Amino acid sequence: MSAPGTHLPLSTYRLQLHRDFDFGAARRALPYLARLGVTDVYLSPIWASTPGSTHGYDVTDHAAVNPELGGLTGLRRLAARARELGLGLIVDFVPNHMGIQGGHNPYWEDVLRHGQASRYAHFFDISWQPLKRALEGKVLLPVLGDQYGRVLERGELILERDGGEFSLRYWERRLPVSPRSVGQLLTWAYEALPARTDTVTLGELASIRRSVDTLPRSTSADLTDQDRVIRAQEVQVMTRRLGALLDASPEVRSVMDATVSAVNADRERLDRLVSEQNYRLAFWKVAAEEINYRRFFDINDLAALRMEDPRVFAWAHATLFDLLRQGLIQGVRLDHTDGLYDPAGYFRALQDGAAHALGREPGPDLPLYVVAEKILEPGEQLPDAWAIHGTTGYDFLAQLNGVFVDGANEEEVSAMYRRFTGDRLSYGEHLYRGKHLIQRVSLPGEVNVLAEHLERLAESDLSARDFTLSTLRAAIREVIASFPVYRTYIRADGAREPGDDAKIAHAIRDAKAHNRREGLTLDPTVFDYLHAVLTLNAPDDRTRAAYADFALKFQQLTGPVTAKGAEDTAFYRYARLLSLNEVGGDPSLYGTPVSTFHDAAQARATRWPHAMLGGSTHDTKRGEDTRARISVLSEMPQTWSAYLSRWSPLIRSLATELELGSAPAALDAYVLLQNTLGAYPLDGNVTDFPDRLSAYMLKAAREAKLHTSWASPDSEYEEALDRLVRGLLADPGFRASMDELHARISPHGAQNGLSASLVRLSAPGVPDTYQGSEGWNQSLVDPDNRRPVNYAALNRTLGRLERGAGVELARRLLDRYADGAVKVMVTWAALHARAAQPELFRNGAYRPLDGGRHVLAFMRELGAQRAVTVAPRLTFTLTRERTPWALGEVWGNRQLALPAGTYVNALTGERLRARSGKVPLAKVLEDFPLALLLRE
């Protein structure tokens, strides 16, 4: 429950910040957003990140506001302007990982320099004692573009000196040198000094050398925090002394520089120096298997944080809490919380810290508005006890998205997909294979760390000690591939969420079945042992604690494997209807029955009334209106099949014969055609469309990992894919045919988009509008969905609405729907309706209304207040192409169940009187194809 006085947004608007759209640009957009009707502006990460970052999720310092965005001064100006306009600020926080690319993260660089003796070694989730002996006490650093020996031989690794500091340079990357390894350089320099060198100089150099020798070793894991601080101070003093000596003595400086040159000229000496570092340089391609630091997914440049350590938590949140204390921010969106060791514990600590920052006593209430990025599988419930206000809305997005898919045609669409592509696998089979592929290719290092951990546990168990490392590794892979959800939430004390045990049992049961079915030779008892460990079924408290440590780390891996196996693999391999292949969704579920949507909305109104409602995000695979158009294909399988037949000869003629067969594959062609239709510009301007589509198809093919991939790109296949994209769009016959199909589905796709927007803006929860999505959002996956927004044009549209909205303007905008102004109108009108009756939309109950198969209708009610949403669906089927819009007589004698009263349509200003408890839909939708009815 939210604490009294907690800021609860009524609606949000997401802004993507970067160097070219900073705090100043955001500040200039605020008056427009206030006029649009949102209550809170929701910012992408504002923390210091890798220079030039376009997204901000590669945070390099949680303690600093990003100087590229305008720093703390720019944030203060933005917050002050927001406060003047009555807007709150919600910030995106990244607790799971940090960016470590390019030497810009001072904490990671300190770990590279000092190893386990670093003051920040506890920040990162590093396995300092991996199975590979050569990595003991070291961090694998996969930054090389080739094998280490070749890089060394070509002279691409260079020792450099800057004052009293030394570094290894690899092209633009400068890597810190361990202080203890400097000792050898000092010895070589000392020995090379001429006999005439004065004794004071010799003594100072020898003294510095002795200081190096007395430093605690970098592999000293048992140092106290104070020891680490003292060591770092000693290194600073040593470095200053050496720098001063080199400045004062040209003779020593000359010898030291000659020593550096000699090392660079001698590969053996350079290799010896490199081998003494606290990191092992490696070819980037070996990272997947041997990596010994936990990453964000499989991205080498994002290192995971140990946020479960109270010291790390306190450091990472100090600035966040200070911004909250100053009133500069009012809420937090949390990124990738499934990667945390203990999400529930983290949420509670965050609320307690916020309470202190706000001068309140910590307690069970929630003083800070917090939503967490969390993917819920179908049927999975968000844990009630979590100290958050809900998810960021991917679950809602999937439920609403499916409403506009016609489930009655599933078999026909599936058969057509199989015929065209030859794909006979179910989505579940693609997902299972994808999760295995990710564990073998992208995350084997993380699996290896877990397997080694489990082997150590098994060694102390008489009944499990004979399980080999490879057997344990195979069992872990099989159970993760069979896991039915992203992760479970067992805690160190054995507490768990309802259903966690059942989910683990489900995975064990399916893993055993796969083991039998695939003819694998794993002893079934290894799964029983893993089951016992994951559920903490141990003979004593000490063993149970050891089991818990493994189980919590296991939970941190199932999420990334599922995300990569589903969203970044199976979503690109299974293309039956691409509008369903969306973050938070399950492509095997062919549409959402209206009754299912109602059930979910009622549950959200009761349990999570302040959860965020998403339509498009920075992570969605397609913009909401791209999906809305593709969904129309579910209503017209025979028509779609006819167009596919018409295009097939041209597609074959544009194919390229490669050594392994014709390219691109039929699957890629099917993906291309759906995306071409979905993203086909409504304004008819296709100037940059071939470039956008080609970039998308390159990414899609690499994510699918069937014919090319990020790790091993096939240039010939990718060139063939580009030729197909550009060849199709350049062909007059194809363009004419695509224009024809585009014209047929376009109003129905627009209807889907308008209906989905209205539902999102009026359903229980906090509707979020992703930047620019108040107009048409026909984007593809990032970076296409992060293109600049034309706020000047949106401002002009808003001005027209403010000068005189009503039914006549609504009809004119509908007639010219291609420019997107009609969607801006719906967004503006719905947001202002929310603002006029905030408690109704914030706390009102949700009541489904019956309007038949072609309408999603519901009522929000609180006391005497009523708001009725009427959103048509499946209108291609309803209208049978007799009219572009579902208006008036198209509805025949269909009725909408509506409580008696007089209502005003917030979208058009029209009045409607309901007397008998039912009203003709032809009357409700006489002049405009959706309605938000507010009872007078």
Side-chain angles (χ1 to χ4, degrees), residues 125-127 129-131 288-289 291-294 341 439 443-458 468-481 483 529-530 533-534 546-561:
D125 205 347
I126 300 168
S127 175
Q129 282 81 40
L131 189 64
E289 188 168 347
I291 201 84
N292 64 330
Y293 62 89
R294 188 167 62 87
Y341 188 75
Q439 291 183 86
L443 297 170
E446 285 80 352
V447 174
N448 287 340
V449 168
L450 265 186
E452 291 162 15
H453 190 163
L454 188 59
E455 185 188 38
R456 289 193 292 271
L457 291 180
T468 65
L469 178 62
S470 61
T471 295
L472 294 169
R473 183 189 297 114
I476 288 171
R477 285 176 175 168
E478 197 61 57
V479 171
I480 291 178
F483 226 71
Y529 175 65
L530 184 52
V533 173
L534 293 177
Y547 282 10
D549 188 43
F550 174 85
L552 268 69
K553 290 184 179 299
F554 177 90
Q555 291 175 153
Q556 286 181 288
L557 182 57
T558 58
V561 171

Side-chain angles (χ1 to χ4, degrees), residues 1-3 6 313 321 324 332 334 345-358 360-371 386-389:
M1 179 183 295
S2 295
T6 299
F313 180 92
F321 289 146
L324 185 63
V332 175
L334 297 170
Y346 171 80
F347 298 143
R348 188 68 264 169
L350 182 64
Q351 292 290 355
D352 289 348
H356 284 298
L358 295 169
R360 304 177 190 176
E361 283 297 319
D365 291 340
L366 310 182
L368 177 65
Y369 179 73
V370 176
V371 288
W386 281 4
I388 60 176
H389 291 85

